[in-house]
Amino acid sequence: MQRKNKPASKPPQITKDHAPPTPLGPPVTGNPPPAAIATVYRRKCGTGPFDENWLNLDCCGLFCAAMTYGLHLYGCWAFCAVLIPPWMSYKGVDGIRRLTIFGKLNCLIFVAIAIAAILSHFKAMTTDPGAVPPDASPLPEPDEETDKKTDSVPNDVENATNETSAPSPLYTAHGNPAVPVAGAVAGAVAGAVGMMATSAMPLKPTRTGKKICRRCNAFKPRRAHHCSICRRCIIKMDHHCPWVNNCVGIGNHKFFLLFIFYTFLSCSYSSSLLFLRFLQCVFFNTNSQVSCLDDPTQIIYLLGLMVEAMLFGLFTSCMMVDQWDVVTSNITHIDRLKNENHALLTFDDPSQDRPSERPTGVNEVFGLECGKKKTRNFHLEWLSPFAMASFPPHIRDEIMGFCRPCINLCGKNEDDGDLELGVVKKDLTETL
């Protein structure tokens, strides 16, 4: 039986709502939704990696910090307004009592010591103690062959970077080309892709024994310990001090030592003058018409000053002895509990032909650079609550226990005082 010829089928018409599937995504129906944008919320104060200012918002720590400032202010008032005026003053012709030069000098010294203690406490509380940033990576293995190579990137790595960062059409999740973004954002995305491609190349093998913090879910250096209050991993963490409302780590150990040192000085100074005043009033007061106090009720304020000076003077003296062992042995309290021993690092400069030097733990706390001068000996900046501990670039990664490949590949190794995000946080802020 002969089959009838069927008419030729018409080609399918492509409508707007039914587009053929693209090789890069499923078919699109209607207008595609806008691309999702990741947003990072930065708090003004906190301990997160993107917060602007480091400050632990723990209620107990904030109360202890406020109490510390109140005790120092009370000591200044009791010393300068109750103890010194009846003792080191004279009445002028007009009948007004004025402090002697010796009295003014004592008040000035005590107030200066108290201000130094308060500033050191504030720096210890608001300074990053050494939190591990999110992009931290293990240190590379030392390789003599790679050290002899130039700093230029290999050709295969450079080609891979150029191929990856070449302009290519961007597609959304529905397969349509994405809307072109601003030039600055597009350049940042291309640069990030290039850095990821470059960092993915095996330039140097990383050191074995990489540990991941189960709470942070990030790389944990060998000298880092997780703080449950700050909720971060802290490099060379000694303990979490509620009086400074912060962890004591590699970043603020110097300010913590200065705080207890200046507090001990103020307590010793006030208690010494109180003892001398007591001896003078009880045993050497030959003139019975001269009163040791302007008002008998002032004895209560002096007793409070004595109790404060003796109590916190004894506490800070014990802390200084304890911290001296931590600094000289380079073993923190947590390291001692975990039976971990970390040898002192070599602080020699590989660019200079000179023998290796083994520094003391004091240099790891107070730093090796004082301004533009590199020194291992005592410097006045060690006593300043404004100068942070700084290290030469060739040993900073060894001290911290991690490296940041994104910063190193871009050639940005400047230390802007932020141990957390450093140049990356600054660049992202300027770009956005």
Side-chain angles (χ1 to χ4, degrees):
M1 182 176 181
Q2 188 177 2
R3 300 179 61 184
K4 296 182 180 180
N5 296 331
K6 296 182 179 181
S9 60
K10 296 181 180 181
Q13 297 180 358
I14 301 176
T15 61
K16 182 178 180 180
D17 297 336
H18 297 82
T22 59
L24 296 178
V28 180
T29 59
N31 297 327
I37 300 176
T39 304
V40 177
Y41 294 97
R42 300 181 61 187
R43 296 181 298 176
K44 196 66 178 179
C45 298
T47 58
F50 298 101
D51 294 335
E52 295 185 15
N53 302 301
W54 180 278
L55 179 62
N56 198 337
L57 301 179
D58 180 55
C59 296
C60 178
L62 293 175
F63 175 79
C64 291
M67 184 177 177
T68 302
Y69 297 149
L71 290 173
H72 275 286
L73 293 178
Y74 172 79
C76 291
W77 173 80
F79 186 90
C80 299
V82 180
L83 177 63
I84 297 298
W87 185 11
M88 304 177 186
S89 62
Y90 66 95
K91 286 188 177 181
V93 182
D94 52 0
I96 300 176
R97 186 173 63 182
R98 294 179 176 86
L99 292 178
T100 62
I101 297 178
F102 194 63
K104 293 180 180 178
L105 183 62
N106 279 280
C107 291
L108 181 62
I109 293 176
F110 185 82
V111 171
I113 295 175
I115 291 176
I118 292 175
L119 290 177
S120 300
H121 180 278
F122 182 78
K123 291 290 290 184
M125 181 176 61
T126 59
T127 300
D128 184 358
V132 181
D135 60 342
S137 301
L139 293 174
E141 287 284 358
D143 191 357
E144 297 180 358
E145 297 181 358
T146 52
D147 292 338
K148 295 180 181 179
K149 295 181 181 179
T150 59
D151 295 334
S152 60
V153 184
N155 294 329
D156 52 347
V157 178
E158 185 176 1
N159 296 333
T161 305
N162 294 334
E163 293 176 1
T164 308
S165 60
S168 59
L170 301 177
Y171 291 87
T172 62
H174 296 272
N176 283 0
V179 180
V181 294
V185 180
V189 173
V193 173
M195 287 192 300
M196 292 173 60
T198 309
S199 61
M201 301 300 295
L203 298 179
K204 289 183 180 181
T206 57
R207 298 185 179 183
T208 58
K210 177 179 178 180
K211 296 191 300 182
I212 301 297
C213 179
R214 61 181 181 179
R215 299 178 182 177
C216 298
N217 197 21
F219 170 64
K220 184 178 182 180
R222 61 185 182 91
R223 305 179 71 182
H225 303 283
H226 187 88
C227 176
S228 58
I229 301 178
C230 295
R231 292 174 293 182
R232 300 292 301 278
C233 285
I234 308 299
I235 301 295
K236 199 182 175 182
M237 176 182 172
D238 184 72
H239 66 285
H240 184 94
C241 180
W243 291 104
V244 298
N245 189 29
N246 201 358
C247 283
V248 178
I250 188 67
N252 64 346
H253 201 174
K254 170 191 172 181
F255 300 127
F256 176 75
L257 294 178
L258 290 181
F259 164 65
I260 61 177
F261 171 70
Y262 287 124
T263 302
F264 172 76
L265 280 184
S266 64
C267 294
S268 301
Y269 198 79
S270 59
S271 59
S272 300
L273 290 186
L274 280 170
F275 182 71
L276 291 177
R277 183 58 172 168
F278 175 78
L279 293 180
Q280 184 183 18
C281 291
V282 174
F283 299 103
F284 301 101
N285 189 10
T286 58
N287 190 359
S288 59
Q289 297 180 356
V290 178
S291 176
C292 292
L293 296 174
D294 294 336
D295 188 355
T297 58
Q298 291 181 348
I299 190 66
I300 300 177
Y301 305 132
L302 295 182
L303 286 177
L305 180 62
M306 175 60 74
V307 171
E308 177 187 356
M310 296 298 295
L311 179 62
F312 290 96
L314 181 62
F315 174 73
T316 52
S317 62
C318 296
M319 286 295 298
M320 285 196 302
V321 174
D322 177 73
Q323 288 297 311
W324 175 255
D325 179 66
V326 172
V327 171
T328 54
S329 63
N330 199 32
I331 301 176
T332 63
H333 289 91
I334 298 181
D335 293 338
R336 186 173 285 106
L337 290 175
K338 293 186 175 182
N339 198 19
E340 297 180 359
N341 187 9
H342 301 288
L344 294 175
L345 299 176
T346 303
F347 282 12
D348 59 334
D349 192 348
S351 63
Q352 299 180 4
D353 187 11
R354 59 186 178 88
S356 174
E357 297 180 357
R358 285 283 181 176
T360 60
V362 179
N363 294 116
E364 193 166 306
V365 174
F366 292 91
L368 277 173
E369 291 181 339
C370 298
K372 295 183 179 180
K373 182 180 179 182
K374 180 179 178 181
T375 177
R376 298 177 65 247
N377 302 322
F378 173 78
H379 197 272
L380 289 178
E381 287 191 2
W382 289 10
L383 301 178
S384 173
F386 300 100
M388 295 189 63
S390 59
F391 307 95
H394 66 279
I395 62 170
R396 190 175 187 277
D397 289 345
E398 287 289 337
I399 294 176
M400 301 302 295
F402 63 87
C403 62
R404 305 180 65 186
C406 293
I407 296 181
N408 295 334
L409 288 172
C410 293
K412 298 179 180 179
N413 292 324
E414 295 86 352
D415 185 8
D416 62 346
D418 191 353
L419 299 177
E420 184 76 36
L421 296 178
V423 183
V424 172
K425 182 168 69 175
K426 180 179 179 180
D427 292 346
L428 287 176
T429 305
E430 294 177 354
T431 303
L432 299 177

